[in-house]
Amino acid sequence: MDDLRDKYISLISGAKDEAALEDLRVQAVGKKGEVSLKMRELGKMTPEERQEAGPKLNALKDEINSALAAKKAALADAALDERLKTEWLDVTLPGRPRRNGTIHPVSQVTEEVTAIFADMGFSVAEGPQVESDWHNFDALNIPGHHPARAEMDTFYMYRAEGDERPPHVLRTHTSPVQIRSMELQGAPLRVICPGRVYRADFDQTHTPMFHQVEGLAVDTDISMANLKWCLEEFVKAFFEVDAVELRFRASHFPFTEPSAEVDIRCSWEGGTLKIGEGDDWMEILGSGMVHPKVLQAGNIDPDRWQGFAFGIGIDRLAMLKYGIPDLRAFFDSDLRWLRHYGFASLDVPTLHGGLSR
Ligand code: PHE
């Protein structure tokens, strides 16, 4: 029995891992282990022999079991030490700032404008950026020979040689969505149509691609007064002030009659743009009463229905509200600019929550 003990105690202390320990356990005290077999022999012994060998065998079994348990604990400790050595972490290192993406001012302002007009009962409509010549021009009372076509600096799409149809255009304004909305929904109608538009023009306040939001209200009793009220409500809500000075200037668009351009009082002093003060005016939108021919093009009877329409420059609104001096930077994708002028992605503008907070 002493030999058995010495053998297992030394084997256990030399075991390299838990699997080896388990093998030893089976060999020694498992059902068919050496110690267990010896215990079975107790039955064949005389009562005297059994009285002496029984307790000794039990003690041996206990000793081996506790040696197994102790070694198991020691192996686990060693494994943990080993792991801690490889997984150490210097908690005094400075944390890295999270690099969150931001919402572009154009997207932010589009959401703000949408929230304001939605509150006045307008829904959002969209149209294609590659537009038919008819929707972009003819239907808006701009026939082929009209000088407005040249003024618009239009980008024309390619047509195969010999194809006589007029080429599609990159829409030069969101006004074709007026036609598409009338065709689709008929009257009465209240929509705004935000989106990208394109003109071959490039300087501090013009980029070849920019953004507009069109507005269109058609009903049986719409007047210029309704237009003026809507725009004033919009401008006050958008700039989050009680009063903003607007200037309605008589103007001309082929698709509205009468027409008015609307400017907002501002200052460019010291290179920074300030809204609501100064001696400058910044044009932010064109508007007017929808021309009867335009209603007709949209399959709406001009003898029964009238409407107002407006088109606002979204980028200009963003420049004015958030003091961004150069329009070109909007589309440079400069990360420093985007981080500086961008908005937190979870702050969705709502009227009750505050548009720009
Ligand atoms: N489409 C005009 C533009 O791009 C703006 C406008 C829209 C004017 C609707 C009147 C009515 O300049």
Side-chain angles (χ1 to χ4, degrees):
M1 242 185 262
D2 285 343
D3 288 349
L4 262 184
R5 174 198 310 104
D6 291 350
K7 174 181 159 189
Y8 280 108
I9 294 301
S10 109
L11 281 175
I12 288 170
S13 90
K16 290 265 180 303
D17 51 33
E18 270 199 47
L21 264 190
E22 177 60 12
D23 286 346
L24 287 172
R25 191 190 64 76
V26 173
Q27 260 180 58
V29 295
K31 262 194 189 149
K32 290 180 182 158
E34 276 192 276
V35 179
S36 313
L37 291 177
K38 283 255 176 301
M39 285 181 138
R40 267 190 229 166
E41 287 168 19
L42 286 173
K44 295 174 205 151
M45 293 179 186
T46 63
E48 292 76 32
E49 283 173 327
R50 193 184 305 133
Q51 212 154 44
E52 192 186 332
K56 277 192 180 168
L57 269 174
N58 271 330
L60 176 59
K61 192 180 168 186
D62 287 348
E63 198 178 338
I64 289 177
N65 272 330
S66 38
L68 283 167
K71 183 67 184 179
K72 194 172 169 181
L75 281 176
D77 283 352
L80 183 61
D81 281 347
E82 201 54 39
R83 216 178 114 192
L84 288 177
K85 254 187 247 164
T86 61
E87 287 186 0
W88 73 278
L89 180 74
D90 184 350
V91 295
T92 67
L93 281 174
R96 275 187 224 116
R98 281 229 273 155
R99 287 272 160 83
N100 287 324
T102 57
I103 299 297
H104 195 283
V106 169
S107 304
Q108 169 78 16
V109 166
T110 303
E111 290 296 323
E112 293 180 20
V113 171
T114 304
I116 296 166
F117 281 107
D119 193 54
M120 290 194 251
F122 289 77
S123 54
V124 175
E126 290 188 306
Q129 294 173 43
V130 175
E131 185 57 283
S132 77
D133 182 86
W134 186 81
H135 283 94
N136 195 82
F137 294 122
D138 298 75
L140 290 162
N141 195 28
I142 314 174
H145 59 267
H146 199 283
R149 288 205 180 204
E151 277 163 31
M152 284 267 197
D153 305 306
T154 311
F155 288 110
Y156 290 93
M157 305 300 287
Y158 175 79
R159 276 260 192 240
E161 213 159 317
D163 190 336
E164 294 301 319
R165 293 171 298 167
H168 281 14
V169 300
L170 289 182
R171 67 179 179 197
T172 57
H173 49 181
T174 43
S175 300
V177 190
Q178 284 190 38
I179 304 297
R180 290 182 176 276
S181 302
M182 290 190 255
E183 287 175 330
L184 221 68
Q185 302 180 36
L189 185 64
R190 276 168 186 67
V191 287
I192 56 163
C193 327
R196 294 182 168 175
V197 300
Y198 302 83
R199 287 178 207 178
D201 204 355
F202 194 58
D203 62 31
Q204 195 185 359
T205 51
H206 297 89
T207 49
M209 185 279 300
F210 59 105
H211 300 80
Q212 290 187 332
V213 56
E214 194 81 6
L216 173 66
V218 176
D219 216 319
T220 50
D221 53 358
I222 297 261
S223 76
M224 197 87 181
N226 300 133
L227 167 71
K228 214 178 161 210
W229 180 86
C230 272
L231 290 177
E232 272 169 0
E233 283 303 300
F234 162 70
V235 168
K236 279 190 285 180
F238 180 76
F239 289 104
E240 298 173 70
V241 290
D242 296 328
V244 176
E245 212 176 330
L246 291 183
R247 183 170 77 174
F248 283 74
R249 241 180 324 106
S251 183
H252 177 264
F253 298 101
F255 33 90
T256 45
E257 180 60 39
S259 305
E261 278 177 304
V262 178
D263 308 333
I264 192 161
R265 187 183 281 283
C266 69
S267 131
W268 281 97
E269 226 175 77
T272 39
L273 191 54
K274 282 208 197 92
I275 176 77
E277 57 182 79
D279 298 324
D280 276 320
W281 295 93
M282 177 121 159
E283 180 198 322
I284 55 164
L285 66 89
S287 64
M289 298 303 293
V290 180
H291 195 289
K293 283 190 179 171
V294 172
L295 290 169
Q296 229 153 21
N299 299 324
I300 288 178
D301 179 3
D303 291 331
R304 177 147 179 244
W305 305 95
Q306 316 104 53
F308 68 68
F310 56 82
I312 312 178
I314 291 182
D315 319 82
R316 292 212 173 169
L317 286 182
M319 293 171 78
L320 284 165
K321 181 163 178 180
Y322 296 112
I324 310 174
D326 191 335
L327 177 67
R328 288 168 298 196
F330 274 60
F331 310 116
D332 282 346
S333 301
D334 182 328
L335 276 179
R336 293 162 302 177
W337 189 94
L338 291 169
R339 284 194 191 112
H340 181 75
Y341 287 111
F343 292 82
S345 52
L346 293 177
D347 291 349
V348 180
T350 59
L351 286 182
H352 58 273
L355 285 176
S356 58
R357 251 162 297 143

